Amino acid sequence: MCRIRTDARPVRRRRGLSLIELLMASSVMVLVAGTLGTLAMTAQTTAEYGHGHDLATQHARVCLERIERTLNAANASEQFPGFLAIGDTSGAWYFPDTLVVWRPESEAVDPEGLPRFNELVIFCADPNLPSQLVEITVPDDAGVAYAAADTGSWQTALASIKADGDAERVVLTDLLRTATADDGVERACVRFHLLVRPTAAQWTEYKTGAISWDEVDWVQDMYGTTTGMRQAWCRFELQLLPRGIDGKEVSDELTMPFFGSGAVYDELYK
């Protein structure tokens, strides 16, 4: 006689995911993948920006220190105030983008007169690669430079020096921002502004007797009975474009401006 087991458990059938459950799971996976992708992209962008910012800051520090040190050590005379800011005009705009500093390596040939070209240090954008700020010297040219007021001769001479293949060049940075001017020429965003007190015009007025010694606009009123203090002050701006780890520009909207200045003082005699 057979006995029937009463403790047998019912067999349950395994069922798969429904279509709705599959769609919900897929949606969650898409959201997770999208979030991870966004986080990865954000991390990469942040790294690129941080690298570009640090690199531009480092380049600017080198440029500012080098230009300021050269300005502060300039030689000055009554005929030449120590340095000049020279530029040219495009349409209604003037671009003072070249700085000329009288900075001999040793004693100047004529410290009370005009500099020699091989005693000059020139800071400007490379005319062939305007994103590069370069320092130019011409050690083989012992010719006498021009008076500070002879702007036309300076422009001609500087154009020749910039095109001279034998001139010595040191690239200070290749991160200069550039823009196209009205004349269609791509120009670097670098500016030099010079302020001299007393001005050359006022000193000429004193020399011709138009104003008295006491009426000269001496810097900080520093003058005596036979000598007066003159200041030549240059302030300048560099605009740099950060670059990412791959060497490409992060964005042309992330321009970083940097500012510096330097001054030299000398005595004018009555």
Side-chain angles (χ1 to χ4, degrees):
M1 184 174 183
C2 297
R3 294 182 179 180
I4 300 176
R5 296 183 58 181
T6 59
D7 58 346
R9 298 178 181 179
V11 178
R12 296 182 179 179
R13 295 182 179 179
R14 300 178 61 88
R15 67 183 183 86
L17 297 176
S18 66
L19 179 60
I20 295 178
E21 291 173 332
L22 285 174
L23 291 175
M24 291 180 63
S26 300
S27 300
V28 171
M29 292 179 64
V30 170
L31 290 175
V32 171
T35 302
L36 292 176
T38 302
L39 289 175
M41 185 177 298
T42 302
Q44 181 180 1
T45 302
T46 302
E48 293 279 351
Y49 177 82
H51 175 82
H53 184 279
D54 293 343
L55 181 64
T57 301
Q58 181 181 4
H59 278 227
R61 185 180 298 114
V62 172
C63 295
L64 297 181
E65 181 179 350
R66 186 143 182 160
I67 297 175
E68 289 174 354
R69 185 172 63 245
T70 305
L71 287 170
N72 294 333
N75 186 84
S77 69
E78 181 177 338
Q79 299 182 55
F80 196 87
F83 35 80
L84 298 174
I86 303 294
D88 54 10
T89 302
S90 172
W93 302 96
Y94 178 67
F95 297 92
D97 51 10
T98 301
L99 176 66
V100 180
V101 186
W102 186 5
R103 179 66 172 89
E105 293 186 358
S106 56
E107 185 69 22
V109 174
D110 185 9
E112 303 301 324
L114 291 172
R116 303 301 188 262
F117 279 106
N118 57 11
E119 297 174 342
L120 300 176
V121 179
I122 302 166
F123 297 97
C124 63
D126 190 315
N128 297 319
L129 294 171
S131 63
Q132 291 186 352
L133 179 68
V134 295
E135 175 186 299
I136 303 177
T137 55
V138 282
D140 297 330
D141 189 349
V144 180
Y146 304 104
D150 193 353
T151 304
S153 296
W154 273 110
Q155 290 175 331
T156 301
L158 291 173
S160 177
I161 290 174
K162 293 176 184 179
D164 186 359
D166 295 328
E168 295 185 359
R169 287 173 169 80
V170 177
V171 178
L172 302 183
T173 181
D174 59 352
L175 301 180
L176 281 179
R177 175 176 175 262
T178 61
T180 303
D182 293 343
D183 56 3
V185 177
E186 186 179 12
R187 295 181 178 271
C189 295
V190 53
R191 301 289 179 268
F192 300 99
H193 179 73
L194 181 63
L195 177 64
V196 180
R197 294 179 55 194
T199 64
Q202 190 178 58
W203 186 242
T204 301
E205 290 179 342
Y206 164 72
K207 286 289 191 178
T208 58
I211 60 176
S212 67
W213 178 261
D214 294 336
E215 291 175 318
V216 176
D217 185 21
W218 299 109
V219 58
Q220 298 182 2
D221 289 330
M222 297 176 62
Y223 71 99
T225 56
T226 58
T227 61
M229 185 67 68
R230 179 179 65 175
Q231 177 199 52
W233 175 48
C234 178
R235 65 178 185 266
F236 55 93
E237 174 189 2
L238 309 175
Q239 293 186 16
L240 304 187
L241 281 176
R243 287 184 182 171
I245 300 174
D246 56 0
K248 297 181 180 179
E249 295 177 2
V250 176
S251 172
D252 57 2
E253 298 179 357
L254 296 178
T255 302
M256 298 176 62
F258 296 91
F259 303 90
S261 66
V264 65
Y265 298 83
D266 67 305
E267 290 183 330
L268 296 178
Y269 294 89
K270 192 170 184 179

